[in-house]
Amino acid sequence: MKSTTTLLASFLLLCSIKTIQAQTIETARIAGRVTQTGDKPVEFATITLLKAKDSSLVKGAIADINGKYEFEQVKQGKYLIAAAYVGMTKAFSKPFEIRGSAPVNIETLSLGTDAKNLKEVNVTAKKPFIEQRADKTVVNVENSIIGSGGTAMEVLEKSPGVSIDKDDNINLKNKSGVIIMIDGKPTNMSSQDVAQLLKSMPSSNIEQIELITNPSAKYDAAGNAGIINIKLKKNKTVGSNGNVSIFGAYGLTPKWGGSLNLNHRNEKFNLFGSYNYNHRENEQHLGLYRTGTTNGQYNVFDQQNVRNRKSDYHGVKVGMDYFLNKNNTIGVMVDAGFRDQSEPANSITLIGGKETIDSTLKTHTFNKGNWRRWAYNVNYRAILDTTGRELNVDLDYARNTDKQGNSIYSTIWDALGKNYMHGDTSRNNQPNTIDIKTVKADYVHPLPHQAKFEAGVKLSFVKTDNDVRFDSLRSGNWVYDKNRSNHFIYKENVNAAYINFQKQFKKVNVQLGLRAEQSNVEGNSITINRVTDTSYFNLFPSVFVSYDAAKNHQLGISYSRRLQRPDYEDLNPFEIYLDRYTIVAGNPYLKPSYSNNIELTHTFKHFLTTSVGYTHTKNKITQIVEADKDVNTGDTLTLRYKYLNVAKSDIVNLNISFPVTITKWWSSFTYLSAYYNKYQTIVDNQSVSVSGGGFMGRTQQTFTLPAGIAAEVSVFYLSPQIADEGLFRMKPMSAVDLGVSKQILHKKGNIKLNVSDVFNVQRFRGSFENAGRYTGVTSKWESRQVRLTFNYRFGNTSIKAARTRKTGLEDEQNRVKNGN
């Protein structure tokens, strides 16, 4: 007891001494901000506090993502501040003096480009795999070992908050309707066809993936779940340089490919080009089990399908920037993609009652197609004065052509699958052309006192031409099937304008935006002589507020209204028969869906980020399964997959992400998300209400080992939940990925070996119940693959920031199919 009392007394004495010292020595807090041209913050700039007398170092600090910095408990004296960043000239504050405890606010320091020093600097710092920024999450793909040698789709699936469902729909924070952009311009394809494009794109071409859950008004209003921007690698050097990458992989089938990037830059020109090739073979096993009652009779359909897809993709991009002078640049770019693919599939469907099999349906399909895309961009950028006023103008034209041919051969056998009963053979051709023209202008005007005004306009014109012809084999002759064939032409014109205002107060950053879009739409089904003509006008406000509540706490709130337009092909009323009992149908009466999104965020010490979000969607576009009733027999054995406007949906989500440096050689990033979904709609004239919760998590561990060796381990888990696309109840999914890499050839080369889904357990399992019918789906693909990748950089490695551009094909290209 005595020792305890002595210890307590000593502790109180020590505290008293510290308090007296604090009272006798006054200190102050110093704060400021670092920017560059256009009042843009310089993220992670190096800040040093120097003595004014001899410039000796007192303290050092790093600016945050908003360019802000601070020094605590600075003693009385005369000082000055120095700010520096790689590739920029240093900036110094005026000398100032601290006389008491009053806080000192330093005038904003502006850094400029240092052309001389740029040629002398080699950057060797490595960015983390995941970066949490104020308005987005950034995935640095080129630093991932596990993602190496794979596809863009496989890397995207490993990104925090991203999940892929059974139909390759991409969801962000468990919400569908994501806009996929590549280098600032959307792909303009349906979610399934975007998936096919990303599966063709090698991950070695990707530098970063940006996840933007609540975009501002300067982005197109489309995308209920936000935007995913995939930034391809760019050469950022003066002189000539490039990089080459090759890979090989094997799961159940082989895959291989490579890419080449070249760049040449001088004072007047920047010439760049890239080429990538990807050969992929994929085997997929699909199971469909459904039950129901027709005319009082219980029916069972048990289908097993095996698909073997083989594709060859070639991508080419060439362009030039011409620097008229230091403030004016004009550029041209051509981006082309070509894919040829074939896909044979075989399925066996057992048909019967509860305990007996009545017949067996055997179906063989063969799909062969080629997809071509040419996109052209002309860009003009002008820096209007030294205050940072800037004008960007883009003219874009893109043409997508897709020629698909499909043959279906179905036969029905007896219960034992031995004796032939009868057959059905058909074929179809589906040529599709989509032309997109856009004009876009964006203006940035910095204002005094850390404020900024932005405005812009955009005009887009889209025309799609789908001419689907079905033929059936009758008595040895091909006969035109007018019931299945259809010629559909769709035209769309969207006129948009936006304004955006941003203001930085002492501790509060406010951004207000408003976007207006006026749409004119016409759908013409020539075959059935049906024309739908609609026009609509909408306003889309957005609000973002961030608040530095304390030294280690930042709070934020954001709100935006957005819409999702139907994919062009989903408006086409034609029907595609996968087999005689399964139909995929279009819906010309689809309307846009509208969502209101609100999100609260909290960041602790710039590393632990927590967010709570709520989304309410009206007229949500969702694929449902309904019975197709035969007008003659009343038979409802055939199922139709069709997109409808769900009455409404509500989603609440909680997200937590945090990077942790455990030791000098061990770091990690963990993302956790929990959510609750509720959907209400009408299927087969019956009200359907589906709700449920779930969670997902991913953690990635990175190990830096001696001799230039690094290793990664990634673990992913997705709990049972309600899928946002299709109202399916999903069963859990999980996977473990491993990877190792080694630097070679004087650190200019790198070899990476990785294994995805080590235990081969990743698969989709889900079910849907309505009106006495049950539908169960299982899907297993080549999730376990072994990949070996080699990368090599050559040429001049001096740092020079490359000019980036955001073309005008922002919303339109996301709604184009590319022949999946």
Side-chain angles (χ1 to χ4, degrees), residues 314-569:
H314 302 263
V316 180
K317 179 184 291 187
V318 293
M320 179 188 71
D321 290 326
Y322 176 62
F323 309 110
L324 301 172
N325 50 50
K326 66 177 182 179
N327 292 331
N328 294 273
T329 304
I330 188 169
V332 294
M333 183 174 65
V334 179
D335 189 1
F338 315 92
R339 184 177 62 254
D340 296 291
Q341 72 177 35
S342 61
E343 183 178 340
N346 293 285
S347 69
I348 296 178
T349 305
L350 304 180
I351 305 172
K354 287 186 177 181
E355 300 178 355
T356 61
I357 300 298
D358 299 327
S359 59
T360 299
L361 172 65
K362 298 181 180 180
T363 303
H364 173 75
T365 62
F366 183 79
N367 180 61
K368 187 175 183 179
N370 59 73
W371 172 81
R372 305 288 185 263
R373 177 176 182 266
W374 289 90
Y376 308 89
N377 168 259
V378 177
N379 170 267
Y380 170 70
R381 180 191 180 194
I383 300 175
L384 303 178
D385 57 24
T386 57
T387 66
R389 287 196 303 130
E390 185 176 320
L391 175 66
N392 277 279
V393 179
D394 283 280
L395 305 177
D396 289 273
Y397 171 72
R399 163 165 279 210
N400 299 265
T401 59
D402 185 14
K403 297 180 180 179
Q404 296 288 318
N406 188 35
S407 60
I408 305 173
Y409 178 55
S410 298
T411 55
I412 296 182
W413 303 70
D414 62 12
L416 298 177
K418 294 182 178 180
N419 297 314
Y420 173 80
M421 297 170 65
H422 62 83
D424 181 20
T425 302
S426 64
R427 68 183 183 186
N428 65 76
N429 288 300
Q430 304 175 41
N432 175 24
T433 302
I434 301 178
D435 289 296
I436 304 171
K437 304 171 185 177
T438 65
V439 179
K440 183 171 73 80
D442 298 284
Y443 173 70
V444 179
H445 189 117
L447 299 172
H449 310 295
Q450 300 184 32
K452 180 172 64 174
F453 173 78
E454 296 175 288
V457 296
K458 178 184 174 183
L459 309 177
S460 68
F461 304 88
V462 178
K463 179 182 178 181
T464 76
D465 192 333
N466 301 268
D467 191 0
V468 179
R469 177 189 174 97
F470 274 82
D471 298 314
S472 296
L473 191 63
R474 298 288 183 265
S475 302
N477 297 312
W478 289 106
V479 179
Y480 175 68
D481 190 339
K482 65 178 182 179
N483 294 323
R484 301 186 188 183
S485 302
N486 186 53
H487 188 191
F488 182 73
I489 296 178
Y490 175 86
K491 297 180 181 179
E492 177 185 275
N493 162 231
V494 178
N495 305 304
Y498 75 88
I499 55 174
N500 210 51
F501 174 78
Q502 183 175 353
K503 168 67 175 174
Q504 176 69 51
F505 298 93
K506 287 185 178 180
K507 291 189 175 184
V508 179
N509 186 289
V510 178
Q511 184 178 161
L512 306 174
L514 181 65
R515 187 178 186 90
E517 292 192 356
Q518 191 267 333
S519 305
N520 306 296
V521 177
E522 178 187 281
N524 183 8
S525 182
I526 298 174
T527 304
I528 59 178
N529 194 26
R530 177 190 292 168
V531 178
T532 57
D533 191 350
T534 59
S535 297
Y536 49 91
F537 175 83
N538 290 284
L539 294 175
F540 301 94
S542 62
V543 180
F544 303 85
V545 179
S546 62
Y547 172 60
D548 292 333
K551 177 182 178 181
N552 296 322
H553 299 273
Q554 289 78 40
L555 301 175
I557 182 172
S558 62
Y559 164 80
S560 66
R561 182 174 186 257
R562 304 188 65 77
L563 91 163
Q564 179 185 0
R565 294 186 177 91
D567 294 332
Y568 305 126
E569 288 83 349

Side-chain angles (χ1 to χ4, degrees), residues 647-648 678-690 727 768-772:
K648 62 180 180 179
K678 183 177 181 181
Y679 306 93
Q680 292 178 304
T681 187
I682 295 177
V683 181
D684 292 338
N685 298 319
Q686 293 194 15
S687 177
V688 177
S689 180
V690 183
L727 305 182
F768 175 76
E769 294 184 70
N770 179 55

Side-chain angles (χ1 to χ4, degrees), residues 7-17:
L7 180 62
L8 179 59
S10 301
F11 176 77
L12 293 175
L13 178 62
L14 180 62
C15 291
S16 301
I17 294 173

